[in-house]
Amino acid sequence: MTTLVWLRRDLRLLDNPALYHAARRGPVLVTYLLDEKEHSPMGGASRWWLHHSLCALQDELEKRGCRLVLRRGDPLQILEGLVEDAGVTTIHWNRLYEPWAIARDARIKEHFQDMGLEVRTYNASLLNEPWEVKTGQGNPYRVFTPYWRQARSQIAGEGVLSVPPLKGAGQTTASEDMKNWGLLPTGPDWSGGLAWCWTPGEKGALDRFDRFLEEKLQDYAGKRDFPAADAISRLSPHLHFGEISVRDIWNRLQPFEELKSAGESVTKFRSELGWREFSTHLLYHFPHIAEKPFRPEFEAFPWQEDEELLQGWQQGRTGYPLVDAGMRELWQTGFMHNRVRMIVASFLTKNLLIPWQAGADWFRDTLVDADLANNSAGWQWVAGSGADAAPYFRIFNPVTQGQKFDPQGKYIRKWVPELADLDGDEIHKPWKVEKERTGGYPDPVVDLAMSRERALAAYKSIR
Ligand code: FAD
């Protein structure tokens, strides 16, 4: 009566429905399979995160007398072997929502059901399933505000599932050594900054959320747009890998909702979780958004591919301090503040006219929270090609955005140290300062006024 639990992006013990329900039935064989053929391959930063998250999970499971069986290859073949080895009668997993994962999992489910096994799947990562939230006409939503109004009203006030006592099965089942998976960078090892900033794993996630509730939530609504303010949760990679349950987060916000000082912040924070739900809803119903514009008219947009400009953007050498600060923060830490993500994405797609897919691909490789749904929706929102997108004429000006959201230039000084000694407003316009004072910082790669007009003309051409 062994149940096989196939962990994927649910790398936690608390409120893990697949694990919980399996453990209640009897012995469990817990496995993680590295599927290198998956349609949307993991970037370098995500692979680094996965390695450390699996190490943390392995330790936690072992403390409870249960092994984590690690294998690499084709999931169907590996699962078949495990089923045979350990006398498995039932398979449990938590659902994923990327189109390729849905197709793969449906095939695997059908295969084992045809063999007479029981296969059970659960929701471990969303407040509502993407198909549960519908308009009055039974269609998916395309605009966030009505989506979220409806979605919020449907959130079930379920409690979280506790960590179950585990009885490990398959004690002799072969497991691979993660060191041989090559998830960590070598030659060169660029992960020092990531290790300094992050603690992948369930404990790291829960500690970070506790700290957010205690120290930051109160001021979230007022300060979340200021990248130097350290006012955000930084939970996104933990949520992506399922190291923390969104239901747990949702429930633990409740007591703060009633506090006069924090009510607005709780509503705002909840609506950010809503954007995450909405992005998955969009990807589920409109799977083409991972590669193609949501709005078909954008197929004819006159993008201008330019490898040199793209590289300058990737390396944080555009000559616009806030853009460069964001791109360097990303390279060094695997993360970028949301406001800065919008600014660098607007700069790439509107001032440089480089296709949003090129930016999304760089983010996929370098972000520790790289997520197909959130990344595609984020880029399309900024580019103007998305479902509920920013209007095409909204072109973020990196200079005025810097003056508004980083008025003292604290964020810029941290990530672009060659400008650290500039005074006052100079930090936002270093090209106006004598070269000796800017330590080799590049001149702007494009003129803002000219490129704005060019972008508006390009948008006009497809309307
Ligand atoms: P908080 O402000 O503390 O918000 C809490 C949680 O809500 C986040 O952890 C995240 O899960 C969710 N959230 C917040 N804002 C958004 C949003 N706009 N869209 C969807 N979910 C949101 N987020 C990713 O998780 N992965 C990505 O690959 C990704 N790519 C993006 C690309 C672009 C161009 C843009 C503009 C945004 C992107 N985002 C992405 C959304 C957002 O920037 C990050 O989720 C956020 O910065 C994470 O920081 P935080 O955890 O401190 O967020």
Side-chain angles (χ1 to χ4, degrees):
M1 274 292 287
T2 295
T3 302
L4 177 59
V5 181
W6 178 19
L7 294 178
R8 296 104 69 83
R9 287 213 314 272
D10 46 358
L11 304 179
R12 64 173 186 268
L13 303 184
L14 183 65
D15 201 35
N16 185 325
L19 183 66
Y20 178 86
H21 292 292
R24 282 172 59 103
R25 298 164 71 103
V28 289
L29 175 63
V30 185
T31 188
Y32 181 90
L33 314 176
L34 184 66
D35 178 4
E36 307 240 55
K37 285 222 178 82
E38 63 179 38
H39 172 71
S40 142
M42 257 181 291
S46 301
R47 289 169 71 85
W48 175 87
W49 190 286
L50 177 67
H51 177 98
H52 293 290
S53 189
L54 287 174
C55 287
L57 184 68
Q58 213 165 18
D59 287 351
E60 287 305 314
L61 282 168
E62 269 166 23
K63 275 188 215 158
R64 291 168 170 80
C66 187
R67 290 168 69 226
L68 178 63
V69 172
L70 299 170
R71 293 284 184 84
R72 177 167 49 163
D74 174 55
L76 178 59
Q77 270 177 20
I78 299 170
L79 290 172
E80 267 185 328
L82 293 177
V83 163
E84 199 167 308
D85 272 10
V88 167
T89 53
T90 309
I91 306 180
H92 282 202
W93 68 70
N94 294 311
R95 290 188 275 276
L96 296 173
Y97 302 91
E98 288 85 357
W100 61 268
I102 293 172
R104 179 195 66 182
D105 294 351
R107 249 185 295 119
I108 293 177
K109 186 174 179 182
E110 196 181 325
H111 176 84
F112 285 110
Q113 282 176 334
D114 287 349
M115 282 171 60
L117 267 75
E118 190 185 346
V119 180
R120 293 201 172 197
T121 71
Y122 302 87
N123 170 11
S125 65
L126 294 172
L127 296 163
N128 288 303
E129 294 284 15
W131 52 86
E132 286 172 354
V133 185
K134 288 188 237 152
T135 65
Q137 290 74 43
N139 297 320
Y141 281 93
R142 292 153 184 257
V143 177
F144 176 72
T145 305
Y147 164 83
W148 187 230
R149 200 180 304 121
Q150 181 58 30
R152 268 204 76 157
S153 73
Q154 290 182 209
I155 294 169
E158 286 167 27
V160 301
L161 303 168
S162 54
V163 178
L166 296 172
K167 191 161 171 237
Q171 296 303 326
T172 54
T173 306
S175 177
E176 292 177 29
D177 185 343
M178 216 186 330
K179 285 197 204 101
N180 300 329
W181 283 6
L183 295 173
L184 297 179
T186 51
D189 176 3
W190 41 257
S191 66
L194 274 62
W196 190 74
C197 294
W198 302 101
T199 310
E202 184 168 16
K203 184 172 182 313
L206 293 170
D207 286 351
R208 199 174 271 279
F209 185 47
D210 286 344
R211 247 192 348 268
F212 176 69
L213 289 179
E214 272 168 37
E215 296 166 13
K216 302 182 192 174
L217 174 64
Q218 194 122 325
D219 295 326
Y220 179 77
K223 294 193 181 164
R224 61 179 283 276
D225 266 322
F226 294 83
D230 192 21
I232 51 173
S233 74
R234 292 176 185 262
L235 282 172
S236 49
H238 298 291
L239 275 163
H240 172 76
F241 284 95
E243 297 168 352
I244 187 165
S245 147
V246 70
R247 264 193 299 258
D248 187 22
I249 294 179
W250 190 261
N251 292 352
R252 288 181 56 197
L253 289 168
Q254 181 66 37
F256 295 87
E257 199 151 43
E258 277 117 49
L259 295 179
K260 206 164 163 230
S261 53
E264 192 195 339
S265 283
V266 173
T267 305
K268 190 70 205 148
F269 188 71
R270 286 194 156 153
S271 88
E272 295 310 318
L273 296 174
W275 276 101
R276 175 175 176 270
E277 300 270 318
F278 183 53
S279 301
T280 304
H281 175 87
L282 288 176
L283 181 64
Y284 177 80
H285 290 287
F286 308 100
H288 70 279
I289 66 163
E291 279 149 23
K292 293 190 172 158
F294 180 89
R295 294 167 190 256
E297 66 269 27
F298 272 80
E299 297 270 17
F301 191 85
W303 299 112
Q304 297 186 8
E305 312 226 0
D306 186 318
E307 197 49 40
E308 206 176 310
L309 285 175
L310 176 63
Q311 274 183 18
W313 175 84
Q314 290 170 339
Q315 293 166 1
R317 299 191 54 76
T318 68
Y320 288 102
L322 190 54
V323 174
D324 293 340
M327 297 309 295
R328 295 184 196 185
E329 180 190 20
L330 173 61
W331 183 248
Q332 289 175 42
T333 69
F335 185 83
M336 193 194 302
H337 186 278
N338 180 60
R339 170 132 308 257
V340 190
R341 291 188 203 202
M342 294 193 286
I343 293 162
V344 304
S346 172
F347 186 80
L348 186 78
T349 55
K350 296 185 174 171
N351 298 99
L352 301 182
L353 288 185
I354 292 180
W356 62 266
Q357 290 93 333
D361 206 40
W362 182 250
F363 271 26
R364 182 192 57 73
D365 196 20
T366 52
L367 276 172
V368 284
D369 66 20
D371 180 277
L372 192 65
N374 293 346
N375 198 31
S376 313
W379 275 94
Q380 294 225 39
W381 184 88
V382 176
S385 61
D388 186 7
Y392 71 92
F393 50 81
R394 175 132 193 233
I395 299 174
F396 287 88
N397 179 320
V399 176
T400 53
Q401 288 283 313
Q403 289 162 331
K404 190 166 172 195
F405 294 107
D406 189 29
Q408 269 80 51
K410 208 171 149 197
Y411 176 76
I412 294 173
R413 277 175 233 279
K414 178 167 181 186
W415 297 110
V416 189
E418 62 267 41
L419 302 181
D421 292 335
L422 298 194
D423 302 321
D425 205 42
E426 289 176 346
I427 191 91
H428 301 293
K429 298 176 185 168
W431 55 90
K432 296 204 164 173
V433 177
E434 313 83 75
K435 283 258 165 272
E436 308 82 78
R437 294 178 55 217
T438 57
Y441 185 70
D443 286 331
V445 291
V446 73
D447 177 73
L448 288 183
M450 177 285 288
S451 57
R452 181 187 153 80
E453 288 312 312
R454 188 179 56 174
L456 291 176
Y459 281 97
K460 214 168 162 191
S461 74
I462 59 159
R463 271 195 301 146

